[in-house]
């Protein structure tokens, strides 16, 4: 310790400035939050310093090369949309975030996300359910799923339609994606029926929560 102090004093006497290396803490809790294949990377800033900027990189699991995420270099926000670069559902991905101080030009070490799979890790939103009654009496069911989900997986999803009768008995119907409508016939006049819809992804072995309950009274 004494020798270090003497060395610093000597350098000072020679007119050479000694600057301590500032080490910036790395961001924390780097994680993907994915809903309907919209893959957002989030993180917690290392300090309350509002002048920090962030650089984000990604790579496919097993590949050696890290790649800059377009639009997520020297950003001030604490999230980055990686949907475009992580668009292949069958791949596994990593992302990492580094902080840079504008004031001191110091950099943090990279903070790594857990391994991420769009196929297995994305959450599925419940669909929107629309109902109309006809004079038969019948109920016409229309289902509107999230747009991004349908664009990616329209051939690999279907809907379950849950019909609750006035007696409390529940009946379940399957409906193909993206059928225009499903007509439920053979119902009683002037009785209330309640319905919910659910998205099912059979190849992924997952499904959405049920949509909110909607009730209609037949004619």
């Amino acid at each position: 310790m004494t020798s270090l102090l003497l060395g610093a004093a000597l350098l000072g006497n020679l007119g050479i400035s000694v600057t301590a290396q500032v080490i910036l803490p790395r961001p924390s809790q780097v994680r993907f939050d994915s809903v309907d294949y919209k893959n957002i990377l989030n993180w917690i800033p290392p300090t309350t310093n509002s002048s920090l900027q962030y650089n984000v990189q990604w790579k496919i699991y097993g590949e050696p090369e890290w790649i800059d995420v377009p639009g997520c270099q020297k950003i001030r926000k604490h999230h980055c949309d990686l949907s475009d670069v992580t668009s292949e559902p069958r791949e596994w991905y990593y992302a990492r975030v580094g902080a840079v101080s504008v004031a001191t030009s110091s950099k943090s070490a990279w903070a790594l996300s857990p391994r991420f799979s769009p196929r297995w890790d994305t959450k599925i939103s419940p669909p929107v359910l629309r109902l109309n009654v006809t004079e038969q009496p019948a109920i016409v069911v229309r289902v509107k799923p999230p747009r991004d989900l349908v664009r990616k997986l329209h051939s690999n999803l279907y809907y379950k339609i849950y019909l609750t009768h006035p007696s409390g008995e529940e009946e379940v119907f399957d409906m193909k994606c993206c059928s225009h409508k499903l007509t439920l016939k053979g119902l009683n006049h002037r009785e209330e029926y309640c319905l919910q819809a659910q998205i099912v992804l059979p190849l992924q072995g997952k499904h959405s929560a049920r949509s909110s309950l909607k009730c209609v009274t037949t004619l």
Side-chain angles (χ1 to χ4, degrees), residues 194-208:
C194 296
L195 292 101
Q196 292 174 292
Q198 181 183 49
I199 295 172
V200 179
L201 300 173
L203 294 184
Q204 282 86 344
K206 65 199 307 182
H207 54 75
S208 73

Side-chain angles (χ1 to χ4, degrees), residues 126-129 141-143 157-163 170-177 182 184 195-202 206-212:
V128 176
L129 189 62
V141 180
R142 292 180 174 86
V143 180
L157 66 86
Y158 69 93
Y159 313 117
K160 282 192 176 294
I161 307 299
Y162 298 89
L163 171 68
E170 185 177 76
E171 195 172 359
V172 183
F173 301 87
D174 287 345
M175 181 179 177
K176 292 181 179 178
C177 171
L182 173 68
L184 304 177
L195 292 101
Q196 292 174 292
Q198 181 183 49
I199 295 172
V200 179
L201 300 173
K206 65 199 307 182
H207 54 75
S208 73
R210 293 190 189 188
S211 63
S212 55

Side-chain angles (χ1 to χ4, degrees), residues 15-185:
I16 302 172
S17 62
V18 179
T19 305
Q21 178 65 41
V22 178
I23 299 176
L24 188 64
R26 73 179 75 189
S28 62
Q29 298 183 38
V30 181
R31 69 194 186 279
F32 279 92
D33 292 318
S34 178
V35 178
D36 302 326
Y37 290 90
K38 190 172 180 64
N39 308 325
I40 308 297
L41 189 75
N42 291 285
W43 59 89
I44 302 296
T47 70
T48 56
N49 185 345
S50 60
S51 70
L52 293 184
Q53 295 179 340
Y54 301 94
N55 297 316
V56 183
Q57 295 184 329
W58 71 282
K59 73 170 184 171
I60 294 175
Y61 173 67
E63 295 291 330
E65 183 182 0
W66 287 95
I67 305 168
D68 290 345
V69 178
C72 290
Q73 304 302 306
K74 296 183 178 179
I75 59 174
R76 295 187 183 274
K77 57 190 179 182
H78 305 147
H79 57 87
C80 170
D81 188 344
L82 273 72
S83 301
D84 288 343
V85 297
T86 57
S87 61
E88 173 49 64
R90 292 170 294 184
E91 291 287 1
W92 291 82
Y93 299 94
Y94 282 109
R96 65 181 186 180
V97 183
V100 180
S101 170
V102 177
T104 65
S105 297
S106 58
K107 296 182 178 180
S108 75
W110 291 102
L112 186 66
S113 75
R115 192 170 63 165
F116 168 71
S117 164
R119 177 176 181 176
W120 301 112
D121 296 335
T122 198
K123 297 179 177 65
I124 307 301
S125 300
V128 176
L129 189 62
R130 292 175 52 201
L131 306 174
N132 295 98
V133 293
T134 65
E135 293 181 359
Q136 292 184 22
I139 299 173
V140 179
V141 180
R142 292 180 174 86
V143 180
K144 183 179 180 182
R147 181 186 302 174
D148 289 345
L149 187 66
V150 172
R151 188 169 63 241
K152 283 185 175 295
L153 297 171
H154 68 276
S155 62
N156 177 30
L157 66 86
Y158 69 93
Y159 313 117
K160 282 192 176 294
I161 307 299
Y162 298 89
L163 171 68
T164 303
H165 291 260
S167 64
E169 177 191 356
E170 185 177 76
E171 195 172 359
V172 183
F173 301 87
D174 287 345
M175 181 179 177
K176 292 181 179 178
C177 171
C178 311
S179 297
H180 182 59
K181 63 185 178 181
L182 173 68
T183 303
L184 304 177
K185 302 176 182 179

